[in-house]
Amino acid sequence: MGFLWRHCQYVVQIKSGHAMTPLWVCQVRMLAAAIMLVLCQVRGEHPFKVWHDRFALVKLVAYAFLGLVPVQFCYFKTVEYGNAPIATILQFLGPFVITLYYLNFK
């Protein structure tokens, strides 16, 4: 499964400027991940249990739209303008930059 996600960045790099935009790849990737998680959960307990608790649902949707989608979109946009290794380095440096900012301007 990791093979598919790892090569997604190279597809964006090759296809940038064509029909596949970073936003489209981000949407397809997130939708595929959601479907896979639901399918994996079907074997265990009720997969749609989260939809019954309003507070958990709000937190889940907020995390998806305010956390995951912007990070993935910025990553693929960086791949479009630069290359995959630079995008990976910048993504992993993010938490350190946020920590330094927090420590300096606290």
Side-chain angles (χ1 to χ4, degrees):
M1 191 85 57
F3 173 80
L4 296 174
W5 300 128
R6 184 174 47 236
H7 286 78
C8 194
Q9 60 193 359
Y10 297 113
V11 170
V12 170
Q13 192 173 355
I14 292 169
K15 294 286 190 178
S16 61
H18 293 63
M20 280 196 326
T21 64
L23 182 60
W24 182 85
V25 172
C26 183
Q27 291 169 344
V28 169
R29 186 175 176 180
M30 291 297 179
L31 183 64
I35 291 170
M36 286 181 212
L37 285 174
V38 168
L39 290 176
C40 288
Q41 188 66 22
V42 167
R43 294 184 303 166
E45 60 186 54
H46 186 55
F48 298 105
K49 191 175 185 178
V50 71
W51 300 110
H52 298 296
D53 183 14
R54 281 187 182 258
F55 185 68
L57 178 62
V58 169
K59 283 179 28 178
L60 180 67
V61 170
Y63 178 70
F65 285 107
L66 300 175
L68 291 177
V69 171
V71 168
Q72 290 294 310
F73 178 74
C74 289
Y75 176 75
F76 285 120
K77 205 65 171 164
T78 305
V79 171
E80 181 184 36
Y81 287 116
N83 57 24
I86 295 298
T88 304
I89 291 170
L90 289 175
Q91 186 174 16
F92 280 105
L93 284 177
F96 298 112
V97 172
I98 291 170
T99 303
L100 289 175
Y101 179 83
Y102 177 74
L103 292 174
N104 287 330
F105 297 107
K106 174 167 117 168

